[in-house]
Amino acid sequence: MHHPSDPDFATRVRDSFHRQQAMALIGATMPVVEAGYTEIHLPHKPEVTQQHGFIHGGVVGMIADSAAGYAANTLTPADASVLTVEYKMNLLAPADGELLIAQGTVLKYGRTLTVTRAEVFAVKDGKKTLCAVMQQTIMTMHGKKEKHETSHKE
Amino acid sequence: MHHPSDPDFATRVRDSFHRQQAMALIGATMPVVEAGYTEIHLPHKPEVTQQHGFIHGGVVGMIADSAAGYAANTLTPADASVLTVEYKMNLLAPADGELLIAQGTVLKYGRTLTVTRAEVFAVKDGKKTLCAVMQQTIMTMHGKKEKHETSHKE
Amino acid sequence: MHHPSDPDFATRVRDSFHRQQAMALIGATMPVVEAGYTEIHLPHKPEVTQQHGFIHGGVVGMIADSAAGYAANTLTPADASVLTVEYKMNLLAPADGELLIAQGTVLKYGRTLTVTRAEVFAVKDGKKTLCAVMQQTIMTMHGKKEKHETSHKE
Amino acid sequence: MHHPSDPDFATRVRDSFHRQQAMALIGATMPVVEAGYTEIHLPHKPEVTQQHGFIHGGVVGMIADSAAGYAANTLTPADASVLTVEYKMNLLAPADGELLIAQGTVLKYGRTLTVTRAEVFAVKDGKKTLCAVMQQTIMTMHGKKEKHETSHKE
């Protein structure tokens, strides 16, 4: 459905993800990168929990924000970078499980603004439960290619 | 203006904050706890950055969410705990500075639902710049006191 | 998928809709009421436009809010009423067409809080275009049945 | 604090408001227009109510959206128009009163995107009660002046 203008979008997006030290800090990976869609996975570990032992709502927000932002980023030109303008997230259930999967999807791609959605599932004993939904606005900065030292995705 | 029902709210809220391992992971502290208001401070360090070297937008969201949620928590009875229902955040400027300050404020306290606001400032060379604003809904769980092992704030 | 506790939910929800004078003012109808799902339709007329001749964004919000709120209302007990806690809407394209269709869906039904989604399409020359997406939180007031004079849905 | 680039911003914004037929339909006026700030007033009348007799939440959203959007519009160049990208609104209390006052304020003005806030108060027996808060993103379309036939604010 989506037609990415950059044939190497997957490599470009993965490289950007790997430059985010905050993603490494929490232990997140990005195993799926398709045109207009990404997945970020986060294994449970004590360091990312709140007091109940569930994964912290703020950490759920981090991976939802990134999955949806990178979904937008797959569709931008190679010489552009993206910024999160805003997002809204509902927490539906505790992030209780051995793995979280954040699925980011582009609802509408535009030259300047792109609207995305993220859904976060907790996987426990092999069962997926929807635990958060996000609606997000992303801005594309044309001609501002991400570089190792000067990239823009936050 | 606000009349907390629990005279020991500050101790209770600080104890809850200290049980959040995710807050320790990113290096956040909560130096200010007043009735209906808290501040969370986060010093810059490489581990919490995105590729530009600024503090990651998701980390900004974590401290905004927590500051506003704990502002609500100062006003709940001692035997209650709080849950984030949802929040919406606008990122206004890069989180560029040596320190972030998230200020959480209660807009309207209700028995079941409380509406809060957070503003996050980046402090750079002694100058504060507003870098994010959040509007949030918090739910109070009455009779579900936070315990060391079974607390609820996410 | 959804299991409404009130077998007469469709009649109950339609009656509530008809008591909303603001819906009559803008000319909205609710032709579809299913368990966890409703549609509100709004024909174009000059009175509901902004300066461009498109349907006003605020009017788009009204029908999205109502479609999603009534989707939640289909699943509540007969003696309960619902309130909109909050919603967030992205406007994706001008509401340009001879008819708007707002589709409200329940994402997660809960005893106290229900999370819903609305999508609004503009129909022009037989073609549907997504023009707005909404994410919403609804609160159920148990034991507060809507009456002709004292109902609660807003 | 704000420095409008168009000295005639108040006339320009009032003219735009008067071209919105939907505002006339609900009976809204815009008595205050300052740089970065507007107020929209809405007297209670049966046509804009829900079943409880309070002003409809969707109508509250309409005037909040417009007050904040026009606050942004006061700061744009004379040859630009504005679009609502998205907004998020919390309803804090029933819109119960003889008059609603929506106050729109610019939080951060930017060349492309402006972030605003609206607060809606219900006035009853001379007392103002905060009944809704909104956080909103507005986009400026440069070089697309609003005209009588082809204006853009929605």
Side-chain angles (χ1 to χ4, degrees), chain A residues 16 20-22 46-47 49-52 56 58 62 85-89 91 146 150-151 153-154, chain B residues 16 19-22 46-47 49-52 56 58 62 85-89 91 146 150-151 153-154:
Chain A
S16 171
Q20 298 215 12
Q21 295 196 49
E47 291 80 2
T49 58
Q50 26 84 297
Q51 321 93 300
H52 209 49
H56 195 281
M62 282 181 72
V85 172
E86 60 82 38
Y87 62 83
K88 180 259 201 288
M89 187 169 71
L91 297 165
E146 268 198 28
T150 61
S151 52
K153 176 69 182 66
E154 53 175 14
Chain B
S16 171
R19 289 193 294 272
Q20 298 216 13
Q21 295 196 48
E47 290 80 2
T49 58
Q50 24 85 299
Q51 322 93 301
H52 209 49
H56 194 281
M62 281 181 72
V85 172
E86 60 84 35
Y87 63 83
K88 180 260 201 287
M89 187 169 73
L91 297 165
E146 268 197 29
T150 62
S151 52
K153 176 69 183 65
E154 53 176 14

Side-chain angles (χ1 to χ4, degrees), chain D residues 44-88:
Chain D
H44 184 282
K45 56 179 185 174
E47 291 81 2
V48 295
T49 58
Q50 24 87 296
Q51 320 93 300
H52 210 48
F54 302 138
I55 294 176
H56 195 281
V59 175
V60 175
M62 282 182 72
I63 63 172
D65 174 29
S66 289
Y70 278 121
N73 207 2
T74 62
L75 302 181
T76 60
D79 67 345
S81 55
V82 297
L83 280 169
T84 299
V85 172
E86 60 83 36
Y87 62 84
K88 180 260 201 287

Side-chain angles (χ1 to χ4, degrees), chain A residues 1-17 30 32-40 66-83 104-107 109-110 114-116 136 138-140 146 153:
Chain A
M1 190 148 79
H2 293 296
H3 303 284
S5 61
D6 172 17
D8 297 324
F9 70 86
T11 302
R12 175 172 50 85
V13 163
R14 279 200 186 91
D15 286 351
S16 171
F17 182 84
M30 193 168 63
V32 183
V33 183
E34 299 175 358
Y37 179 80
T38 78
E39 282 187 20
I40 293 181
S66 289
Y70 278 121
N73 206 3
T74 62
L75 302 181
T76 59
D79 68 345
S81 55
V82 298
L83 279 169
T105 312
V106 171
L107 293 179
Y109 177 73
T114 295
V115 179
T116 63
Q136 184 196 49
I138 292 288
M139 187 173 188
T140 298
E146 268 198 28
K153 176 69 182 66

Side-chain angles (χ1 to χ4, degrees), chain D residues 113-124:
Chain D
L113 296 179
T114 294
V115 178
T116 62
R117 179 181 288 160
E119 298 184 319
V120 183
F121 297 87
V123 181
K124 187 174 187 177

Side-chain angles (χ1 to χ4, degrees), chain B residues 63-136:
Chain B
I63 64 172
D65 174 30
S66 290
Y70 278 122
N73 207 2
T74 63
L75 302 181
T76 61
D79 68 344
S81 54
V82 296
L83 279 169
T84 299
V85 172
E86 60 84 35
Y87 63 83
K88 180 260 201 287
M89 187 169 73
N90 277 72
L91 297 165
L92 308 183
D96 178 17
E98 55 271 12
L99 178 68
L100 289 194
I101 298 177
Q103 303 181 334
T105 312
V106 171
L107 293 179
K108 189 190 178 204
Y109 177 74
R111 183 179 150 77
T112 304
L113 296 180
T114 295
V115 178
T116 63
R117 180 181 289 161
E119 298 184 320
V120 184
F121 297 88
V123 181
K124 188 175 187 178
D125 302 332
K127 186 162 165 278
K128 266 173 102 174
T129 302
L130 182 63
C131 63
V133 287
M134 172 182 282
Q135 197 169 304
Q136 183 196 50

